[in-house]
Amino acid sequence: MQHSGSSLLSKFITSNSSITFKAMYSINTSIQLSPIETKICNLLNDYILHYNNSNRNKDPLVLRITGGWVRDKLLNQSSHDLDIAINTMSGEQFATNLNEFLAINYSNYNIKPHTIHKINKNPEKSKHLETTTTKLFDIEVDFVNLRSEEYSDDSRIPVTKFGTPEQDALRRDATLNALFYNIQSKQIEDFTKTGLKDLEDGILRTPLPPRQTFLDDPLRVLRLIRFASRFNFKIDPATLQEMNDIDINNAFISKISRERIGIEFEKILKGTSPLIGISLIQSTNIDNVIFFWQNDDSIIEFNKLNNPDIEKIDKIYKYDQKSRSILNNHILKLITLIPIFLQRFPECQIKFNDSKNIFFKKCFYLSSILIPMSNLKIIFNPKKKLNNTCPLVESIIKDGLKFPKLEAVTSSLIVESLNEYHNLVLYLTSNKSSIKRSIIGSFLRKLNGNWEICHFVSALNQMLLNPDDSEIIIENYKDFYNFVFKNSLENSHNLKPLVDGKELLKLFSLKGGPWLGKINDEAIIWQLDHPEANKDDLLDHIKLILPDYV
């Protein structure tokens, strides 16, 4: 698509320069413990001393806090994710021994031993080694031994062994996530040699060569994207280049469950800068695996043979040597437009900033990304002969990302309603002096309280389709938005007839039937056009139209 240089949006549609990656945190040079963390570390230090004095012929016990807690503390952020790495024993063995120590020394610490909960290996949740959880001073603490990992070519589930601190650090997804805090020495340990510098510079890079890191576990690609989005960090160029590799893309399909992809992508959407994450998904060309529509191979195969929409669906995802896919190109335009869109529609930005309304932000982004999938269906149950299809958008969100059904159904409804919504905006623009409340209110009712999401996605879509007309589009959509609130139509979906069905049956001495639902629909339309009317007014109207339905 060609865009005029005079267009308000032309400079944003040609590149993703509006998406910047700049570290927004300054780091500490040491760990500042909270009062509770100090208590926990003092207790663990006492146990270290006790254990080492009692086991002089064994390797000294060393405990380290690992991973995200160290990173977050250095970034001046609070963290409750206390993972303790142990060098000489399993997490379960350590927690059991610690409980025995607490039972004997209750008077010193005034805490009773808590139940030990062992979390077994669960690769689907990225638990590759047994972890033991207990509580210390009412804070959950995880204990696990230092480990090394070896991967096969066809699985992201590693063979794990006891390892050294360096091996444990090198197996992690990013150098800045591989920092340790030695509880005994109270020192930060950087076995990758670049973790502290990368954290200070806001750089995400893998401890080991990135290609092997991602082939071992492709989910690390999405995790790095999530951290870039969360902290506004930049991904190291060499690491970013490997994230684009077709072999990594294929490894996503063969190694990663849809649940794990959905969990990481949901964290991106819930974060403060989801657009950075979406931009990186687009630039690394993994949109085809993130936004795929099914996880069941038999259903995919059945659709390939029987779904009349399958060629159109495949075309949306397909790359060739000369151009991006339809989906990837759409996302590129989307991420370049959204920053200016939010400037022009501050009401939408306010919704994004409402931490109690994550549903709005998630459905906005999901609907916007999946616009190319409108009017396409997949066969979700090959065994059913009737009613066996669902919208492609719904399947991507529910079956591909494993998000809740409500988010899938809502986003699908929005995508399928965009053209009708735009036509309604044009209707108001052309009939400002004679607009009927019922025409707008009746349509808003179909959106089940989510009309504002549809409003902003529809406006965004029109600006994508017609960038040269963006000023007119903005004006028309603002007029429509104001009209809805000025005429108290924002809660049209909650409107109920002033006279309920039971009362109608009693008043007119009639039996129920299809007519009653039709009368209720007529009552809603009439009430929308007569917002000041009362119950008696509605009954007078029903008396007039009742002969047409009974």
Side-chain angles (χ1 to χ4, degrees):
M1 183 183 297
Q2 298 296 318
H3 305 286
S4 167
S6 62
S7 166
L8 170 68
L9 304 175
S10 59
K11 64 179 179 178
F12 296 95
I13 300 296
T14 56
S15 73
N16 64 349
S17 59
S18 57
I19 308 299
T20 59
F21 303 86
K22 182 180 180 182
M24 53 185 175
Y25 300 97
S26 60
I27 74 166
N28 286 324
T29 56
S30 61
I31 296 290
Q32 305 297 317
L33 299 178
S34 70
I36 291 294
E37 291 165 347
T38 300
K39 284 185 176 183
I40 292 172
C41 287
N42 287 342
L43 166 61
L44 293 176
N45 269 325
D46 288 349
Y47 179 74
I48 291 171
L49 183 63
H50 164 77
Y51 177 89
N52 288 340
N53 285 337
S54 303
N55 297 272
R56 294 183 182 277
N57 61 332
K58 296 182 180 180
D59 290 338
L61 174 65
V62 181
L63 300 181
R64 297 172 172 89
I65 306 178
T66 68
W69 181 89
V70 183
R71 177 201 64 223
D72 290 349
K73 295 294 286 188
L74 290 171
L75 291 174
N76 301 298
Q77 295 190 339
S78 61
S79 177
H80 305 291
D81 189 18
L82 272 173
D83 295 327
I84 311 293
I86 310 153
N87 68 321
T88 60
M89 64 187 81
S90 70
E92 183 180 20
Q93 183 182 355
F94 176 85
T96 301
N97 293 345
L98 180 64
N99 265 357
E100 292 174 359
F101 177 78
L102 287 173
I104 295 171
N105 296 278
Y106 175 77
S107 60
N108 293 337
Y109 305 104
N110 200 32
I111 60 171
K112 294 180 179 180
H114 278 270
T115 302
I116 295 172
H117 175 58
K118 185 171 73 171
I119 304 172
N120 292 320
K121 294 181 182 181
N122 189 344
E124 293 303 317
K125 295 185 178 180
S126 289
K127 296 292 183 182
H128 302 315
L129 198 69
E130 290 178 354
T131 302
T132 298
T133 299
T134 190
K135 280 191 174 182
L136 299 176
F137 302 101
D138 294 325
I139 299 294
E140 280 199 354
V141 183
D142 288 347
F143 296 102
V144 66
N145 57 273
L146 294 169
R147 67 250 199 214
S148 64
E149 297 177 343
E150 293 181 8
Y151 290 83
S152 64
D153 292 338
D154 59 352
S155 175
R156 67 178 287 262
I157 304 170
V159 175
T160 56
K161 301 177 182 178
F162 276 79
T164 65
E166 183 178 11
Q167 288 173 324
D168 195 275
L170 292 176
R171 70 175 181 80
R172 295 175 183 267
D173 50 21
T175 57
L176 55 77
N177 290 333
L179 298 168
F180 295 161
Y181 176 73
N182 188 308
I183 292 175
Q184 193 170 16
S185 68
K186 300 180 181 179
Q187 297 294 313
I188 301 164
E189 298 175 335
D190 183 4
F191 290 99
T192 70
K193 306 293 193 297
T194 62
L196 276 170
K197 183 67 166 59
D198 287 342
L199 184 63
E200 185 176 9
D201 294 341
I203 299 292
L204 287 155
R205 81 176 81 241
T206 57
L208 294 174
R211 177 176 173 79
Q212 189 58 49
T213 297
F214 297 142
L215 285 175
D216 285 345
D217 185 355
L219 190 67
R220 289 167 176 161
V221 171
L222 200 50
R223 284 177 58 82
L224 260 60
I225 288 174
R226 171 162 66 86
F227 290 126
S229 177
R230 175 181 172 185
F231 298 113
N232 211 359
F233 283 173
K234 182 179 180 181
I235 297 177
D236 163 63
T239 302
L240 188 62
Q241 182 176 350
E242 290 296 344
M243 292 164 71
N244 272 280
D245 191 279
I246 187 62
D247 291 335
I248 309 297
N249 195 288
N250 292 333
F252 255 103
I253 299 170
S254 62
K255 284 190 170 186
I256 308 299
S257 71
R258 302 309 306 177
E259 288 85 353
R260 288 305 306 164
I261 290 173
I263 288 169
E264 292 298 326
F265 184 62
E266 182 173 37
K267 290 178 180 179
I268 290 171
L269 290 182
K270 287 182 174 180
T272 55
S273 304
L275 205 55
I276 290 176
I278 296 169
S279 174
L280 285 167
I281 287 171
Q282 182 274 328
S283 65
T284 55
N285 300 308
I286 60 170
D287 50 281
N288 64 319
V289 291
I290 305 302
F291 305 114
F292 195 63
W293 51 272
Q294 187 52 255
N295 67 320
D296 188 320
D297 290 340
S298 64
I299 293 178
I300 295 171
E301 190 62 29
F302 187 87
N303 275 268
K304 287 181 178 179
L305 298 174
N306 299 279
N307 186 350
D309 285 340
I310 197 65
E311 288 188 11
K312 293 179 181 178
I313 294 172
D314 287 344
K315 187 176 180 180
I316 292 173
Y317 293 104
K318 185 177 180 180
Y319 284 81
D320 59 43
Q321 294 180 345
K322 296 182 179 180
S323 65
R324 299 181 177 94
S325 69
I326 292 172
L327 176 60
N328 189 272
N329 195 49
H330 167 75
I331 297 174
L332 175 60
K333 294 177 181 179
L334 192 69
I335 58 180
T336 56
L337 173 57
I338 284 180
I340 194 171
F341 173 86
L342 293 176
Q343 291 176 8
R344 302 304 297 272
F345 288 95
E347 305 90 345
C348 188
Q349 182 67 66
I350 290 171
K351 294 284 185 180
F352 282 2
N353 295 339
D354 183 358
S355 60
K356 296 180 180 179
N357 194 7
I358 297 297
F359 182 84
F360 179 97
K361 184 164 69 169
K362 287 179 68 177
C363 289
F364 173 88
Y365 277 114
L366 288 167
S367 302
S368 300
I369 290 168
L370 300 178
I371 286 173
M373 279 68 175
S374 63
N375 299 314
L376 295 172
K377 294 183 180 293
I378 63 100
I379 302 168
F380 70 90
N381 188 347
K383 295 180 180 179
K384 292 180 67 175
K385 298 298 182 184
L386 299 174
N387 301 319
N388 65 346
T389 64
C390 77
L392 177 59
V393 171
E394 180 181 334
S395 186
I396 290 170
I397 299 171
K398 179 170 60 71
D399 301 313
L401 290 169
K402 298 297 183 180
F403 281 10
K405 184 176 180 180
L406 181 59
E407 294 172 4
V409 171
T410 300
S411 300
S412 177
L413 175 62
I414 288 168
V415 171
E416 303 303 333
S417 301
L418 293 180
N419 288 337
E420 192 173 356
Y421 194 98
H422 180 61
N423 289 336
L424 202 64
V425 173
L426 295 179
Y427 168 75
L428 182 140
T429 303
S430 303
N431 299 275
K432 288 185 177 180
S433 60
S434 59
I435 193 78
K436 294 186 68 174
R437 290 179 82 254
S438 60
I439 291 178
I440 293 181
S442 295
F443 179 74
L444 297 188
R445 284 172 61 81
K446 298 177 184 178
L447 296 172
N448 302 320
N450 298 299
W451 74 271
E452 285 184 272
I453 307 176
C454 192
H455 176 87
F456 293 119
V457 176
S458 180
L460 181 66
N461 184 44
Q462 289 303 313
M463 293 170 72
L464 283 170
L465 294 172
N466 306 288
D468 292 339
D469 298 329
S470 57
E471 288 292 356
I472 297 173
I473 292 166
I474 292 168
E475 180 182 351
N476 289 344
Y477 273 80
K478 284 184 176 293
D479 286 348
F480 186 89
Y481 194 80
N482 292 333
F483 179 90
V484 170
F485 282 99
K486 183 178 179 180
N487 288 272
S488 302
L489 290 169
E490 67 272 18
N491 293 314
S492 297
H493 62 290
N494 289 328
L495 186 63
K496 291 180 172 56
L498 293 169
V499 185
D500 65 33
K502 290 183 179 179
E503 190 172 357
L504 282 177
L505 295 176
K506 185 176 180 180
L507 284 172
F508 296 109
S509 301
L510 293 170
K511 293 182 179 181
W515 67 271
L516 186 57
K518 295 176 181 178
I519 285 290
N520 283 335
D521 291 340
E522 287 288 343
I524 292 294
I525 293 173
W526 188 85
Q527 286 174 214
L528 285 168
D529 285 330
H530 301 83
E532 306 300 326
N534 57 34
K535 179 177 177 179
D536 291 334
D537 297 329
L538 175 60
L539 284 172
D540 288 341
H541 174 68
I542 291 175
K543 289 175 184 177
L544 291 175
I545 65 172
L546 190 61
D548 296 334
Y549 294 93
V550 179

